[in-house]
Amino acid sequence: MGVCTHLGCVPLGAGQGENRGPYGGYFCPCHGSIYDTAARIRKGPAPKNLEVPDYKFNSDTVVQIG
Amino acid sequence: MSFPWAQEYTPKHPFMRWIDQRLPLPRLVYGSVGGGYPVPRNLNFWWNYGFLALIALGLQIITGIVLAMHFAPADTMAFDSVEHIMRDVNQGWLLRYAHSNGASFFFLVTYIHIFRGLYFGSYKAPREIVWHLGLVILLLMMATAFMGYVLPWGQMSFWAAKVITGFFSAIPLVGTAIQKWLLGGYAPDNPTLVRFFSLHYLLPFVIAGVVVLHIWALHIPGSNNPTGVDVKAPQDTIPFHPYYTAKDGFGAAVFLLLLAVMIFFLPNSLGDPVNYQPANPMSTPAHIVPEWYFWPFYAILRAFNTNFLWIPAKLWGVVAMFASIILLFFLPWLDKSPVRSGHYRPVFKWFFGLLIVDVAVLGYCGGSPPTEGIVMLSQVGSAYYFAHFLIILPLLSWFETPLALPNSISESVLHGEKAEAAPIGMGSGRPSTAV
């Protein structure tokens, strides 16, 4: 989910041309937390990986989130 | 209160005598800011800033009350109502610019006031409680300024609310529950805006109350002065009115003039243009920063980016940021040097200069995007900030040899006939009988 585990900003990297940080994943502009492409925290003040909600593949093309 | 030679209030008019026997308010005024309050005769312009802060508080309260008459504290209307104030309300732009720039000026004069206290040792005995009440005012001001910044419900407002309430989520176990309680939900929303509006209206009056205590506590020992030497005799003091009412009045004129320049010519120069975008919970602005007066604290918050001693970086940052102010409560006992004024402390003077540079560097870091270099600079700056108060000041009070203090305030200001000021063209060769 796009909520930084530090203080709750929305990390950049989901949209076109946004700063993805040195690991090519997500970069939080508030306090500089850097996540990799799997949303794991690599650097910066955030204490945890980005949260991944429960999901399941109902079929090859449909994902159910939550 | 004050010194035994203070002039007593003696109303001449029968009506004033009648009042005095029933409600001695004029007596209180006379004894605290009138001719009945003796003040050290050597106060320089650094002693203007307390009064300037009081003016700024008054200005914020007056403009704020009128702004509140036109503001709509609801998430769907707040942003538009601020634009309505700017475009439709008569002189609304003036009120709002005076209020937003007034906040900046309030912090500016308060910070100068604090650094004045730091340099001249105004926090030392017997003025510890004056210092503590001042710090309480600073904390209240910060809370008030933050909540006021949230009210226009722009992008910066929204994300400031999110990030700053997020500080509390760093507290172990109960953190997230506290944040939820503060916000009235999982994210900033209408309940957040309405409660912040309510508190933003309340807190300035709490500040005014603490200001009364601050001044009351100050008037027990009386003002410190540039020499830091205690008042000893009547010739060391002059009455507050007319001398310091005139000096403060002059300072106030300069202050208001500069504020007018900001309001009329550079009204948005201190604010972030991103806050003119309506709040969007789905997108954080690419570069979020607080207003300038929070930059040094913001830099300390961001300086901690690795877990250390089993404590997560997030908690370190938040604790360090609060500690940077809480620390100042202990200052009267950290700096044990018996000499108050920095004038007579040759080594302290240099470290005081370094502290100012350090806070400026932290401010610069806090206002810049969090790149690697900036974060490293913030770490050095934060380390030095804490070292100044926890290591350097306690050591200095042991090792430093202060300069000789003057015997009294009047001795320090009277240099003998030769060196005294004289009217233009007169020289200073008056008869040498005096002094």
Side-chain angles (χ1 to χ4, degrees), chain B residues 127-140 209-218 329:
Chain B
R127 296 182 187 82
E128 299 97 325
I129 292 188
V130 183
W131 177 251
H132 291 162
L133 289 167
L135 291 172
V136 170
I137 295 171
L138 176 65
L139 290 170
L140 286 170
V210 184
V211 165
V212 169
L213 297 181
H214 186 63
I215 296 173
W216 185 11
L218 171 72
F329 280 92

mmCIF file with all atom_site columns, all heavy atoms in Angstrom, chain B residues 127-140 209-218 329:
data_model
loop_
_atom_site.group_PDB
_atom_site.id
_atom_site.type_symbol
_atom_site.label_atom_id
_atom_site.label_alt_id
_atom_site.label_comp_id
_atom_site.label_asym_id
_atom_site.label_entity_id
_atom_site.label_seq_id
_atom_site.pdbx_PDB_ins_code
_atom_site.Cartn_x
_atom_site.Cartn_y
_atom_site.Cartn_z
_atom_site.occupancy
_atom_site.B_iso_or_equiv
_atom_site.pdbx_formal_charge
_atom_site.auth_seq_id
_atom_site.auth_comp_id
_atom_site.auth_asym_id
_atom_site.auth_atom_id
_atom_site.pdbx_PDB_model_num
ATOM 1   N N   . ARG B 1 127 ? 16.311 33.319 37.761 1.00 0.00 ? 127 ARG B N   1
ATOM 2   C CA  . ARG B 1 127 ? 15.281 33.452 36.716 1.00 0.00 ? 127 ARG B CA  1
ATOM 3   C C   . ARG B 1 127 ? 14.956 32.129 36.041 1.00 0.00 ? 127 ARG B C   1
ATOM 4   O O   . ARG B 1 127 ? 14.475 32.109 34.912 1.00 0.00 ? 127 ARG B O   1
ATOM 5   C CB  . ARG B 1 127 ? 15.721 34.478 35.669 1.00 0.00 ? 127 ARG B CB  1
ATOM 6   C CG  . ARG B 1 127 ? 15.845 35.877 36.241 1.00 0.00 ? 127 ARG B CG  1
ATOM 7   C CD  . ARG B 1 127 ? 16.228 36.911 35.218 1.00 0.00 ? 127 ARG B CD  1
ATOM 8   N NE  . ARG B 1 127 ? 16.486 38.179 35.873 1.00 0.00 ? 127 ARG B NE  1
ATOM 9   C CZ  . ARG B 1 127 ? 17.637 38.490 36.468 1.00 0.00 ? 127 ARG B CZ  1
ATOM 10  N NH1 . ARG B 1 127 ? 18.647 37.635 36.452 1.00 0.00 ? 127 ARG B NH1 1
ATOM 11  N NH2 . ARG B 1 127 ? 17.771 39.653 37.074 1.00 0.00 ? 127 ARG B NH2 1
ATOM 12  N N   . GLU B 1 128 ? 15.187 31.004 36.724 1.00 0.00 ? 128 GLU B N   1
ATOM 13  C CA  . GLU B 1 128 ? 14.950 29.703 36.086 1.00 0.00 ? 128 GLU B CA  1
ATOM 14  C C   . GLU B 1 128 ? 13.488 29.544 35.668 1.00 0.00 ? 128 GLU B C   1
ATOM 15  O O   . GLU B 1 128 ? 13.194 29.034 34.591 1.00 0.00 ? 128 GLU B O   1
ATOM 16  C CB  . GLU B 1 128 ? 15.294 28.546 37.030 1.00 0.00 ? 128 GLU B CB  1
ATOM 17  C CG  . GLU B 1 128 ? 16.741 28.493 37.478 1.00 0.00 ? 128 GLU B CG  1
ATOM 18  C CD  . GLU B 1 128 ? 16.937 29.143 38.829 1.00 0.00 ? 128 GLU B CD  1
ATOM 19  O OE1 . GLU B 1 128 ? 16.237 30.149 39.116 1.00 0.00 ? 128 GLU B OE1 1
ATOM 20  O OE2 . GLU B 1 128 ? 17.777 28.667 39.606 1.00 0.00 ? 128 GLU B OE2 1
ATOM 21  N N   . ILE B 1 129 ? 12.572 29.976 36.528 1.00 0.00 ? 129 ILE B N   1
ATOM 22  C CA  . ILE B 1 129 ? 11.156 29.756 36.207 1.00 0.00 ? 129 ILE B CA  1
ATOM 23  C C   . ILE B 1 129 ? 10.704 30.682 35.084 1.00 0.00 ? 129 ILE B C   1
ATOM 24  O O   . ILE B 1 129 ? 9.864  30.301 34.262 1.00 0.00 ? 129 ILE B O   1
ATOM 25  C CB  . ILE B 1 129 ? 10.295 29.890 37.480 1.00 0.00 ? 129 ILE B CB  1
ATOM 26  C CG1 . ILE B 1 129 ? 10.632 28.708 38.408 1.00 0.00 ? 129 ILE B CG1 1
ATOM 27  C CG2 . ILE B 1 129 ? 8.808  29.906 37.151 1.00 0.00 ? 129 ILE B CG2 1
ATOM 28  C CD1 . ILE B 1 129 ? 9.759  28.567 39.604 1.00 0.00 ? 129 ILE B CD1 1
ATOM 29  N N   . VAL B 1 130 ? 11.310 31.863 35.003 1.00 0.00 ? 130 VAL B N   1
ATOM 30  C CA  . VAL B 1 130 ? 11.021 32.735 33.855 1.00 0.00 ? 130 VAL B CA  1
ATOM 31  C C   . VAL B 1 130 ? 11.380 31.986 32.570 1.00 0.00 ? 130 VAL B C   1
ATOM 32  O O   . VAL B 1 130 ? 10.602 31.949 31.607 1.00 0.00 ? 130 VAL B O   1
ATOM 33  C CB  . VAL B 1 130 ? 11.847 34.038 33.939 1.00 0.00 ? 130 VAL B CB  1
ATOM 34  C CG1 . VAL B 1 130 ? 11.480 34.968 32.797 1.00 0.00 ? 130 VAL B CG1 1
ATOM 35  C CG2 . VAL B 1 130 ? 11.633 34.726 35.268 1.00 0.00 ? 130 VAL B CG2 1
ATOM 36  N N   . TRP B 1 131 ? 12.551 31.377 32.585 1.00 0.00 ? 131 TRP B N   1
ATOM 37  C CA  . TRP B 1 131 ? 13.046 30.614 31.434 1.00 0.00 ? 131 TRP B CA  1
ATOM 38  C C   . TRP B 1 131 ? 12.114 29.439 31.116 1.00 0.00 ? 131 TRP B C   1
ATOM 39  O O   . TRP B 1 131 ? 11.742 29.201 29.972 1.00 0.00 ? 131 TRP B O   1
ATOM 40  C CB  . TRP B 1 131 ? 14.457 30.134 31.748 1.00 0.00 ? 131 TRP B CB  1
ATOM 41  C CG  . TRP B 1 131 ? 15.112 29.267 30.727 1.00 0.00 ? 131 TRP B CG  1
ATOM 42  C CD1 . TRP B 1 131 ? 15.364 27.938 30.842 1.00 0.00 ? 131 TRP B CD1 1
ATOM 43  C CD2 . TRP B 1 131 ? 15.624 29.665 29.443 1.00 0.00 ? 131 TRP B CD2 1
ATOM 44  N NE1 . TRP B 1 131 ? 16.002 27.477 29.719 1.00 0.00 ? 131 TRP B NE1 1
ATOM 45  C CE2 . TRP B 1 131 ? 16.177 28.505 28.842 1.00 0.00 ? 131 TRP B CE2 1
ATOM 46  C CE3 . TRP B 1 131 ? 15.665 30.871 28.738 1.00 0.00 ? 131 TRP B CE3 1
ATOM 47  C CZ2 . TRP B 1 131 ? 16.758 28.530 27.587 1.00 0.00 ? 131 TRP B CZ2 1
ATOM 48  C CZ3 . TRP B 1 131 ? 16.245 30.882 27.479 1.00 0.00 ? 131 TRP B CZ3 1
ATOM 49  C CH2 . TRP B 1 131 ? 16.787 29.731 26.909 1.00 0.00 ? 131 TRP B CH2 1
ATOM 50  N N   . HIS B 1 132 ? 11.712 28.706 32.159 1.00 0.00 ? 132 HIS B N   1
ATOM 51  C CA  . HIS B 1 132 ? 10.835 27.555 31.936 1.00 0.00 ? 132 HIS B CA  1
ATOM 52  C C   . HIS B 1 132 ? 9.494  27.975 31.352 1.00 0.00 ? 132 HIS B C   1
ATOM 53  O O   . HIS B 1 132 ? 8.994  27.349 30.420 1.00 0.00 ? 132 HIS B O   1
ATOM 54  C CB  . HIS B 1 132 ? 10.602 26.796 33.256 1.00 0.00 ? 132 HIS B CB  1
ATOM 55  C CG  . HIS B 1 132 ? 11.832 26.102 33.739 1.00 0.00 ? 132 HIS B CG  1
ATOM 56  N ND1 . HIS B 1 132 ? 11.992 25.664 35.016 1.00 0.00 ? 132 HIS B ND1 1
ATOM 57  C CD2 . HIS B 1 132 ? 12.974 25.780 33.074 1.00 0.00 ? 132 HIS B CD2 1
ATOM 58  C CE1 . HIS B 1 132 ? 13.189 25.098 35.133 1.00 0.00 ? 132 HIS B CE1 1
ATOM 59  N NE2 . HIS B 1 132 ? 13.790 25.157 33.974 1.00 0.00 ? 132 HIS B NE2 1
ATOM 60  N N   . LEU B 1 133 ? 8.925  29.047 31.889 1.00 0.00 ? 133 LEU B N   1
ATOM 61  C CA  . LEU B 1 133 ? 7.638  29.502 31.359 1.00 0.00 ? 133 LEU B CA  1
ATOM 62  C C   . LEU B 1 133 ? 7.786  29.945 29.910 1.00 0.00 ? 133 LEU B C   1
ATOM 63  O O   . LEU B 1 133 ? 6.902  29.717 29.081 1.00 0.00 ? 133 LEU B O   1
ATOM 64  C CB  . LEU B 1 133 ? 7.093  30.643 32.222 1.00 0.00 ? 133 LEU B CB  1
ATOM 65  C CG  . LEU B 1 133 ? 6.606  30.214 33.610 1.00 0.00 ? 133 LEU B CG  1
ATOM 66  C CD1 . LEU B 1 133 ? 6.383  31.434 34.498 1.00 0.00 ? 133 LEU B CD1 1
ATOM 67  C CD2 . LEU B 1 133 ? 5.322  29.410 33.499 1.00 0.00 ? 133 LEU B CD2 1
ATOM 68  N N   . GLY B 1 134 ? 8.936  30.543 29.597 1.00 0.00 ? 134 GLY B N   1
ATOM 69  C CA  . GLY B 1 134 ? 9.195  30.937 28.214 1.00 0.00 ? 134 GLY B CA  1
ATOM 70  C C   . GLY B 1 134 ? 9.221  29.726 27.294 1.00 0.00 ? 134 GLY B C   1
ATOM 71  O O   . GLY B 1 134 ? 8.682  29.753 26.186 1.00 0.00 ? 134 GLY B O   1
ATOM 72  N N   . LEU B 1 135 ? 9.837  28.645 27.758 1.00 0.00 ? 135 LEU B N   1
ATOM 73  C CA  . LEU B 1 135 ? 9.884  27.426 26.932 1.00 0.00 ? 135 LEU B CA  1
ATOM 74  C C   . LEU B 1 135 ? 8.483  26.833 26.767 1.00 0.00 ? 135 LEU B C   1
ATOM 75  O O   . LEU B 1 135 ? 8.151  26.315 25.700 1.00 0.00 ? 135 LEU B O   1
ATOM 76  C CB  . LEU B 1 135 ? 10.829 26.403 27.559 1.00 0.00 ? 135 LEU B CB  1
ATOM 77  C CG  . LEU B 1 135 ? 12.311 26.785 27.513 1.00 0.00 ? 135 LEU B CG  1
ATOM 78  C CD1 . LEU B 1 135 ? 13.136 25.804 28.329 1.00 0.00 ? 135 LEU B CD1 1
ATOM 79  C CD2 . LEU B 1 135 ? 12.811 26.827 26.083 1.00 0.00 ? 135 LEU B CD2 1
ATOM 80  N N   . VAL B 1 136 ? 7.672  26.924 27.832 1.00 0.00 ? 136 VAL B N   1
ATOM 81  C CA  . VAL B 1 136 ? 6.286  26.451 27.715 1.00 0.00 ? 136 VAL B CA  1
ATOM 82  C C   . VAL B 1 136 ? 5.565  27.272 26.643 1.00 0.00 ? 136 VAL B C   1
ATOM 83  O O   . VAL B 1 136 ? 4.849  26.723 25.795 1.00 0.00 ? 136 VAL B O   1
ATOM 84  C CB  . VAL B 1 136 ? 5.559  26.561 29.074 1.00 0.00 ? 136 VAL B CB  1
ATOM 85  C CG1 . VAL B 1 136 ? 4.065  26.300 28.910 1.00 0.00 ? 136 VAL B CG1 1
ATOM 86  C CG2 . VAL B 1 136 ? 6.156  25.573 30.067 1.00 0.00 ? 136 VAL B CG2 1
ATOM 87  N N   . ILE B 1 137 ? 5.802  28.585 26.642 1.00 0.00 ? 137 ILE B N   1
ATOM 88  C CA  . ILE B 1 137 ? 5.189  29.429 25.614 1.00 0.00 ? 137 ILE B CA  1
ATOM 89  C C   . ILE B 1 137 ? 5.648  28.991 24.231 1.00 0.00 ? 137 ILE B C   1
ATOM 90  O O   . ILE B 1 137 ? 4.843  28.866 23.303 1.00 0.00 ? 137 ILE B O   1
ATOM 91  C CB  . ILE B 1 137 ? 5.532  30.921 25.851 1.00 0.00 ? 137 ILE B CB  1
ATOM 92  C CG1 . ILE B 1 137 ? 4.909  31.396 27.158 1.00 0.00 ? 137 ILE B CG1 1
ATOM 93  C CG2 . ILE B 1 137 ? 5.069  31.779 24.682 1.00 0.00 ? 137 ILE B CG2 1
ATOM 94  C CD1 . ILE B 1 137 ? 5.369  32.773 27.579 1.00 0.00 ? 137 ILE B CD1 1
ATOM 95  N N   . LEU B 1 138 ? 6.950  28.704 24.090 1.00 0.00 ? 138 LEU B N   1
ATOM 96  C CA  . LEU B 1 138 ? 7.469  28.270 22.786 1.00 0.00 ? 138 LEU B CA  1
ATOM 97  C C   . LEU B 1 138 ? 6.766  26.990 22.317 1.00 0.00 ? 138 LEU B C   1
ATOM 98  O O   . LEU B 1 138 ? 6.339  26.892 21.164 1.00 0.00 ? 138 LEU B O   1
ATOM 99  C CB  . LEU B 1 138 ? 8.982  28.047 22.868 1.00 0.00 ? 138 LEU B CB  1
ATOM 100 C CG  . LEU B 1 138 ? 9.628  27.494 21.597 1.00 0.00 ? 138 LEU B CG  1
ATOM 101 C CD1 . LEU B 1 138 ? 9.517  28.492 20.454 1.00 0.00 ? 138 LEU B CD1 1
ATOM 102 C CD2 . LEU B 1 138 ? 11.086 27.128 21.821 1.00 0.00 ? 138 LEU B CD2 1
ATOM 103 N N   . LEU B 1 139 ? 6.624  26.027 23.225 1.00 0.00 ? 139 LEU B N   1
ATOM 104 C CA  . LEU B 1 139 ? 5.962  24.774 22.844 1.00 0.00 ? 139 LEU B CA  1
ATOM 105 C C   . LEU B 1 139 ? 4.507  25.027 22.442 1.00 0.00 ? 139 LEU B C   1
ATOM 106 O O   . LEU B 1 139 ? 4.017  24.484 21.448 1.00 0.00 ? 139 LEU B O   1
ATOM 107 C CB  . LEU B 1 139 ? 6.033  23.764 23.997 1.00 0.00 ? 139 LEU B CB  1
ATOM 108 C CG  . LEU B 1 139 ? 7.436  23.207 24.287 1.00 0.00 ? 139 LEU B CG  1
ATOM 109 C CD1 . LEU B 1 139 ? 7.448  22.414 25.588 1.00 0.00 ? 139 LEU B CD1 1
ATOM 110 C CD2 . LEU B 1 139 ? 7.920  22.340 23.135 1.00 0.00 ? 139 LEU B CD2 1
ATOM 111 N N   . LEU B 1 140 ? 3.828  25.882 23.206 1.00 0.00 ? 140 LEU B N   1
ATOM 112 C CA  . LEU B 1 140 ? 2.436  26.211 22.861 1.00 0.00 ? 140 LEU B CA  1
ATOM 113 C C   . LEU B 1 140 ? 2.354  26.920 21.515 1.00 0.00 ? 140 LEU B C   1
ATOM 114 O O   . LEU B 1 140 ? 1.463  26.658 20.705 1.00 0.00 ? 140 LEU B O   1
ATOM 115 C CB  . LEU B 1 140 ? 1.826  27.104 23.946 1.00 0.00 ? 140 LEU B CB  1
ATOM 116 C CG  . LEU B 1 140 ? 1.477  26.412 25.267 1.00 0.00 ? 140 LEU B CG  1
ATOM 117 C CD1 . LEU B 1 140 ? 1.123  27.451 26.330 1.00 0.00 ? 140 LEU B CD1 1
ATOM 118 C CD2 . LEU B 1 140 ? 0.314  25.448 25.073 1.00 0.00 ? 140 LEU B CD2 1
ATOM 119 N N   . GLY B 1 209 ? -2.146 33.615 28.852 1.00 0.00 ? 209 GLY B N   1
ATOM 120 C CA  . GLY B 1 209 ? -2.121 33.332 30.285 1.00 0.00 ? 209 GLY B CA  1
ATOM 121 C C   . GLY B 1 209 ? -0.715 33.015 30.778 1.00 0.00 ? 209 GLY B C   1
ATOM 122 O O   . GLY B 1 209 ? -0.272 33.525 31.810 1.00 0.00 ? 209 GLY B O   1
ATOM 123 N N   . VAL B 1 210 ? 0.014  32.189 29.998 1.00 0.00 ? 210 VAL B N   1
ATOM 124 C CA  . VAL B 1 210 ? 1.375  31.846 30.410 1.00 0.00 ? 210 VAL B CA  1
ATOM 125 C C   . VAL B 1 210 ? 2.281  33.068 30.300 1.00 0.00 ? 210 VAL B C   1
ATOM 126 O O   . VAL B 1 210 ? 3.224  33.231 31.083 1.00 0.00 ? 210 VAL B O   1
ATOM 127 C CB  . VAL B 1 210 ? 1.917  30.654 29.591 1.00 0.00 ? 210 VAL B CB  1
ATOM 128 C CG1 . VAL B 1 210 ? 3.294  30.241 30.096 1.00 0.00 ? 210 VAL B CG1 1
ATOM 129 C CG2 . VAL B 1 210 ? 0.973  29.470 29.678 1.00 0.00 ? 210 VAL B CG2 1
ATOM 130 N N   . VAL B 1 211 ? 1.986  33.958 29.349 1.00 0.00 ? 211 VAL B N   1
ATOM 131 C CA  . VAL B 1 211 ? 2.763  35.201 29.231 1.00 0.00 ? 211 VAL B CA  1
ATOM 132 C C   . VAL B 1 211 ? 2.621  36.019 30.518 1.00 0.00 ? 211 VAL B C   1
ATOM 133 O O   . VAL B 1 211 ? 3.600  36.581 31.019 1.00 0.00 ? 211 VAL B O   1
ATOM 134 C CB  . VAL B 1 211 ? 2.310  36.021 27.997 1.00 0.00 ? 211 VAL B CB  1
ATOM 135 C CG1 . VAL B 1 211 ? 2.840  37.441 28.064 1.00 0.00 ? 211 VAL B CG1 1
ATOM 136 C CG2 . VAL B 1 211 ? 2.780  35.348 26.713 1.00 0.00 ? 211 VAL B CG2 1
ATOM 137 N N   . VAL B 1 212 ? 1.411  36.061 31.072 1.00 0.00 ? 212 VAL B N   1
ATOM 138 C CA  . VAL B 1 212 ? 1.201  36.789 32.327 1.00 0.00 ? 212 VAL B CA  1
ATOM 139 C C   . VAL B 1 212 ? 2.085  36.182 33.431 1.00 0.00 ? 212 VAL B C   1
ATOM 140 O O   . VAL B 1 212 ? 2.770  36.904 34.161 1.00 0.00 ? 212 VAL B O   1
ATOM 141 C CB  . VAL B 1 212 ? -0.287 36.759 32.735 1.00 0.00 ? 212 VAL B CB  1
ATOM 142 C CG1 . VAL B 1 212 ? -0.466 37.286 34.160 1.00 0.00 ? 212 VAL B CG1 1
ATOM 143 C CG2 . VAL B 1 212 ? -1.124 37.582 31.754 1.00 0.00 ? 212 VAL B CG2 1
ATOM 144 N N   . LEU B 1 213 ? 2.105  34.845 33.508 1.00 0.00 ? 213 LEU B N   1
ATOM 145 C CA  . LEU B 1 213 ? 2.956  34.188 34.511 1.00 0.00 ? 213 LEU B CA  1
ATOM 146 C C   . LEU B 1 213 ? 4.438  34.488 34.252 1.00 0.00 ? 213 LEU B C   1
ATOM 147 O O   . LEU B 1 213 ? 5.215  34.719 35.180 1.00 0.00 ? 213 LEU B O   1
ATOM 148 C CB  . LEU B 1 213 ? 2.731  32.671 34.485 1.00 0.00 ? 213 LEU B CB  1
ATOM 149 C CG  . LEU B 1 213 ? 1.337  32.160 34.842 1.00 0.00 ? 213 LEU B CG  1
ATOM 150 C CD1 . LEU B 1 213 ? 1.305  30.638 34.800 1.00 0.00 ? 213 LEU B CD1 1
ATOM 151 C CD2 . LEU B 1 213 ? 0.916  32.655 36.214 1.00 0.00 ? 213 LEU B CD2 1
ATOM 152 N N   . HIS B 1 214 ? 4.823  34.464 32.966 1.00 0.00 ? 214 HIS B N   1
ATOM 153 C CA  . HIS B 1 214 ? 6.209  34.730 32.546 1.00 0.00 ? 214 HIS B CA  1
ATOM 154 C C   . HIS B 1 214 ? 6.632  36.123 33.035 1.00 0.00 ? 214 HIS B C   1
ATOM 155 O O   . HIS B 1 214 ? 7.706  36.288 33.612 1.00 0.00 ? 214 HIS B O   1
ATOM 156 C CB  . HIS B 1 214 ? 6.215  34.649 31.011 1.00 0.00 ? 214 HIS B CB  1
ATOM 157 C CG  . HIS B 1 214 ? 7.551  34.739 30.328 1.00 0.00 ? 214 HIS B CG  1
ATOM 158 N ND1 . HIS B 1 214 ? 8.557  33.823 30.488 1.00 0.00 ? 214 HIS B ND1 1
ATOM 159 C CD2 . HIS B 1 214 ? 8.023  35.645 29.416 1.00 0.00 ? 214 HIS B CD2 1
ATOM 160 C CE1 . HIS B 1 214 ? 9.591  34.157 29.724 1.00 0.00 ? 214 HIS B CE1 1
ATOM 161 N NE2 . HIS B 1 214 ? 9.297  35.265 29.067 1.00 0.00 ? 214 HIS B NE2 1
ATOM 162 N N   . ILE B 1 215 ? 5.758  37.098 32.835 1.00 0.00 ? 215 ILE B N   1
ATOM 163 C CA  . ILE B 1 215 ? 6.092  38.469 33.229 1.00 0.00 ? 215 ILE B CA  1
ATOM 164 C C   . ILE B 1 215 ? 6.053  38.611 34.755 1.00 0.00 ? 215 ILE B C   1
ATOM 165 O O   . ILE B 1 215 ? 6.906  39.279 35.349 1.00 0.00 ? 215 ILE B O   1
ATOM 166 C CB  . ILE B 1 215 ? 5.133  39.473 32.549 1.00 0.00 ? 215 ILE B CB  1
ATOM 167 C CG1 . ILE B 1 215 ? 5.328  39.415 31.021 1.00 0.00 ? 215 ILE B CG1 1
ATOM 168 C CG2 . ILE B 1 215 ? 5.382  40.885 33.047 1.00 0.00 ? 215 ILE B CG2 1
ATOM 169 C CD1 . ILE B 1 215 ? 4.328  40.222 30.235 1.00 0.00 ? 215 ILE B CD1 1
ATOM 170 N N   . TRP B 1 216 ? 5.094  37.940 35.362 1.00 0.00 ? 216 TRP B N   1
ATOM 171 C CA  . TRP B 1 216 ? 5.006  37.966 36.832 1.00 0.00 ? 216 TRP B CA  1
ATOM 172 C C   . TRP B 1 216 ? 6.305  37.415 37.432 1.00 0.00 ? 216 TRP B C   1
ATOM 173 O O   . TRP B 1 216 ? 6.942  38.039 38.299 1.00 0.00 ? 216 TRP B O   1
ATOM 174 C CB  . TRP B 1 216 ? 3.792  37.125 37.270 1.00 0.00 ? 216 TRP B CB  1
ATOM 175 C CG  . TRP B 1 216 ? 3.488  37.146 38.725 1.00 0.00 ? 216 TRP B CG  1
ATOM 176 C CD1 . TRP B 1 216 ? 4.029  37.978 39.673 1.00 0.00 ? 216 TRP B CD1 1
ATOM 177 C CD2 . TRP B 1 216 ? 2.557  36.299 39.412 1.00 0.00 ? 216 TRP B CD2 1
ATOM 178 N NE1 . TRP B 1 216 ? 3.497  37.692 40.897 1.00 0.00 ? 216 TRP B NE1 1
ATOM 179 C CE2 . TRP B 1 216 ? 2.588  36.669 40.776 1.00 0.00 ? 216 TRP B CE2 1
ATOM 180 C CE3 . TRP B 1 216 ? 1.706  35.268 39.015 1.00 0.00 ? 216 TRP B CE3 1
ATOM 181 C CZ2 . TRP B 1 216 ? 1.804  36.035 41.735 1.00 0.00 ? 216 TRP B CZ2 1
ATOM 182 C CZ3 . TRP B 1 216 ? 0.921  34.640 39.966 1.00 0.00 ? 216 TRP B CZ3 1
ATOM 183 C CH2 . TRP B 1 216 ? 0.968  35.023 41.318 1.00 0.00 ? 216 TRP B CH2 1
ATOM 184 N N   . ALA B 1 217 ? 6.719  36.230 36.930 1.00 0.00 ? 217 ALA B N   1
ATOM 185 C CA  . ALA B 1 217 ? 7.950  35.622 37.448 1.00 0.00 ? 217 ALA B CA  1
ATOM 186 C C   . ALA B 1 217 ? 9.156  36.513 37.171 1.00 0.00 ? 217 ALA B C   1
ATOM 187 O O   . ALA B 1 217 ? 10.084 36.589 37.976 1.00 0.00 ? 217 ALA B O   1
ATOM 188 C CB  . ALA B 1 217 ? 8.150  34.244 36.821 1.00 0.00 ? 217 ALA B CB  1
ATOM 189 N N   . LEU B 1 218 ? 9.131  37.200 36.012 1.00 0.00 ? 218 LEU B N   1
ATOM 190 C CA  . LEU B 1 218 ? 10.244 38.091 35.671 1.00 0.00 ? 218 LEU B CA  1
ATOM 191 C C   . LEU B 1 218 ? 10.323 39.256 36.649 1.00 0.00 ? 218 LEU B C   1
ATOM 192 O O   . LEU B 1 218 ? 11.401 39.684 37.058 1.00 0.00 ? 218 LEU B O   1
ATOM 193 C CB  . LEU B 1 218 ? 10.079 38.627 34.246 1.00 0.00 ? 218 LEU B CB  1
ATOM 194 C CG  . LEU B 1 218 ? 11.074 39.735 33.858 1.00 0.00 ? 218 LEU B CG  1
ATOM 195 C CD1 . LEU B 1 218 ? 12.469 39.150 33.683 1.00 0.00 ? 218 LEU B CD1 1
ATOM 196 C CD2 . LEU B 1 218 ? 10.647 40.463 32.604 1.00 0.00 ? 218 LEU B CD2 1
ATOM 197 N N   . PHE B 1 329 ? 15.065 23.000 29.216 1.00 0.00 ? 329 PHE B N   1
ATOM 198 C CA  . PHE B 1 329 ? 14.539 23.144 30.569 1.00 0.00 ? 329 PHE B CA  1
ATOM 199 C C   . PHE B 1 329 ? 15.634 22.901 31.612 1.00 0.00 ? 329 PHE B C   1
ATOM 200 O O   . PHE B 1 329 ? 15.566 23.399 32.720 1.00 0.00 ? 329 PHE B O   1
ATOM 201 C CB  . PHE B 1 329 ? 13.380 22.159 30.806 1.00 0.00 ? 329 PHE B CB  1
ATOM 202 C CG  . PHE B 1 329 ? 12.073 22.629 30.242 1.00 0.00 ? 329 PHE B CG  1
ATOM 203 C CD1 . PHE B 1 329 ? 11.680 22.276 28.961 1.00 0.00 ? 329 PHE B CD1 1
ATOM 204 C CD2 . PHE B 1 329 ? 11.232 23.433 31.003 1.00 0.00 ? 329 PHE B CD2 1
ATOM 205 C CE1 . PHE B 1 329 ? 10.478 22.711 28.438 1.00 0.00 ? 329 PHE B CE1 1
ATOM 206 C CE2 . PHE B 1 329 ? 10.020 23.863 30.487 1.00 0.00 ? 329 PHE B CE2 1
ATOM 207 C CZ  . PHE B 1 329 ? 9.642  23.502 29.207 1.00 0.00 ? 329 PHE B CZ  1
#
